[in-house]
Amino acid sequence: MHHLARREFIVQGSAAVAALAVFNSQFAQAFPSRAGESVIPWLDQPQPNPVPAVIQNQLVWEDMDSWVTPNDKFFSIAHFDRPSIDVNAWKLEIDGLVKKHLSLSLADLKARPRHEVAFTVECSGNHGFPFFIGGIGNARWAGTPLAAILEEAGVNENGIEVVFWGTDIGDIALKDNNRDVKMHQNFARSMSLADAMSPNNILCYEMNGAALPPPNGSPVRLIAPGWYGIANVKWLKRIEIRNTRFMSQLMARDYVTIREEEHNGETVWAETSVGRALLKSAPARVTRSDAGYRISGAAWGAPIAKVEVKVDNGPWLEATIDHGEEAEFAWKVWYLDWKHPAKGEHTVTSRATDMAGQIQPAMDDPWITRKHTYWESNGQVTRRIGIV
């Protein structure tokens, strides 16, 4: 990512456009909207984005009116540059500890079995900064399964790690024993071979029925459902098999969560690389119609059992989960009709509970307070609203 962002933040044609418009209009019906309703803007709007070249197109929660996030409203983050790639000349290399080196064009990938998955992608830094609360979106991603390609390449017995290299590149400055070290390095993230072989992972070339847009990783990106956005490597150029764990800038020094833990009465400090997404929810908007006021939002990161909403210091009230459109790895849209709100300013908080009974932590929960980095910010989200 851009140096400032790493330190302070570490985020086809007329026929296809027409098809995408029809696609999005179909899924807009799944959102629990009401005829004639109007949106009341939140009072606590995010601060101006200080790194607009790095973080682009954040979700505006008040504008969320469909289960699927349209491509032109989907957030994107560039950790280094935003590469311009010749799709016709592009190749994906599969190498390292494999029995057969593969070099695949986009046409080669499209000739393979196609798989589609609905998946809500969230940046692990979302809600970690006052200016960054819209690093999330839900889309239908399509491509070909990764596992079959790794099987065709034939991973050697000593291969344990799969590294995904992006085309995006930048300079990383380090200090090593008082020596200045500068690396000109491509974006890279990895996962274990067992994780990479999940049947859910795809080499994605379509987003919501259209060609994958350049800001979101064209021509091909990794889609790893259930993982934070950082693991879903964009602008892929190479997949490498290694026999050791891979430690890169974006796995070992950035995108690392630091947390205090108790062990036999002693405080120990744990550092973990950001990986799988955590349980979370957030209020999206408050609307008003002749039928009254309604609070709606989304929950994601785990199989959702229920969502509750609290207004001010009142009781937790169970929201209704909309089942008009849903999928295993996609957010659940929920709503709560707000009966006779008093005039003035109010706070609205949501919390999700997953199928295992785990509850999204409050901001004063030790799970949150003993975390000393902004990554994996899954505490309860509170918004402020004014009723006139």
Side-chain angles (χ1 to χ4, degrees), residues 297-330:
W300 62 93
I304 303 299
K306 68 176 180 179
V307 177
E308 297 168 290
V309 179
K310 180 173 68 174
V311 176
D312 300 326
N313 293 316
W316 288 104
L317 303 173
E318 186 167 350
T320 299
I321 293 177
D322 186 85
H323 297 290
E325 190 68 36
E326 53 190 356
E328 180 181 0
F329 297 105

Side-chain angles (χ1 to χ4, degrees), residues 102-382:
L102 300 179
S103 181
L104 304 173
S105 67
L106 182 58
D108 292 333
L109 294 181
K110 288 185 174 181
R112 292 168 174 265
R114 182 180 182 277
H115 178 72
E116 184 175 276
V117 60
F119 169 39
T120 299
V121 179
E122 183 188 22
C123 177
S124 63
N126 194 36
H127 289 105
F129 290 88
F131 65 86
F132 190 47
I133 68 170
I136 188 170
N138 186 52
R140 288 191 177 273
W141 313 90
T144 194
L146 170 64
I149 290 176
L150 296 179
E151 289 173 352
E152 180 178 333
V155 178
N156 292 343
E157 289 185 1
N158 59 338
I160 65 168
E161 193 86 349
V162 184
V163 186
F164 301 90
W165 296 88
T167 304
D168 43 332
I169 194 167
D171 291 327
I172 297 174
L174 299 173
K175 286 194 176 294
D176 179 23
N177 295 328
N178 297 319
R179 295 177 300 165
D180 289 331
V181 178
K182 179 177 286 188
M183 298 181 292
H184 195 58
Q185 188 177 78
N186 285 86
F187 180 97
R189 286 276 303 193
S190 74
M191 60 179 62
S192 71
L193 177 61
D195 285 333
M197 291 297 291
S198 168
N200 299 313
N201 298 335
I202 62 172
L203 298 178
C204 170
Y205 48 76
E206 283 184 15
M207 181 178 178
N208 290 334
L212 189 65
N216 301 104
S218 173
V220 173
R221 71 177 295 172
L222 173 67
I223 286 295
W227 293 68
Y228 276 116
I230 186 66
N232 294 258
V233 180
K234 299 189 292 292
W235 305 301
L236 277 175
K237 64 178 292 186
R238 178 182 172 218
I239 299 175
E240 178 195 11
I241 311 300
R242 294 193 172 208
N243 61 359
T244 59
R245 293 300 310 274
F246 179 75
M247 306 298 285
S248 68
Q249 169 74 24
L250 298 170
M251 290 193 71
R253 294 182 294 279
D254 291 328
Y255 284 92
V256 172
T257 294
I258 303 174
R259 179 179 277 111
E260 294 179 64
E261 296 179 353
E262 288 294 326
H263 181 71
N264 293 333
E266 178 185 5
T267 298
V268 297
W269 291 75
E271 299 182 54
T272 56
S273 186
V274 168
R276 297 184 186 275
L278 299 178
L279 173 68
K280 190 171 177 181
S281 70
R285 59 184 194 166
V286 175
T287 58
R288 176 180 54 215
S289 73
D290 292 341
Y293 291 81
R294 172 174 286 183
I295 304 166
S296 58
W300 62 93
I304 303 299
K306 68 176 180 179
V307 177
E308 297 168 290
V309 179
K310 180 173 68 174
V311 176
D312 300 326
N313 293 316
W316 288 104
L317 303 173
E318 186 167 350
T320 299
I321 293 177
D322 186 85
H323 297 290
E325 190 68 36
E326 53 190 356
E328 180 181 0
F329 297 105
W331 57 20
K332 292 284 196 298
V333 173
W334 53 263
Y335 65 93
L336 177 74
D337 289 330
W338 187 4
K339 306 296 185 182
H340 312 299
K343 292 183 179 180
E345 183 176 322
H346 299 275
T347 59
V348 176
T349 307
S350 70
R351 70 178 184 188
T353 302
D354 67 18
M355 291 296 186
Q358 181 179 359
I359 301 173
Q360 181 183 356
M363 291 303 293
D364 59 358
D365 188 289
W367 175 257
I368 299 297
T369 60
R370 305 196 77 175
K371 181 169 68 74
H372 295 271
T373 49
Y374 38 74
W375 305 119
E376 301 177 301
S377 299
N378 74 318
Q380 294 169 16
V381 175
T382 297

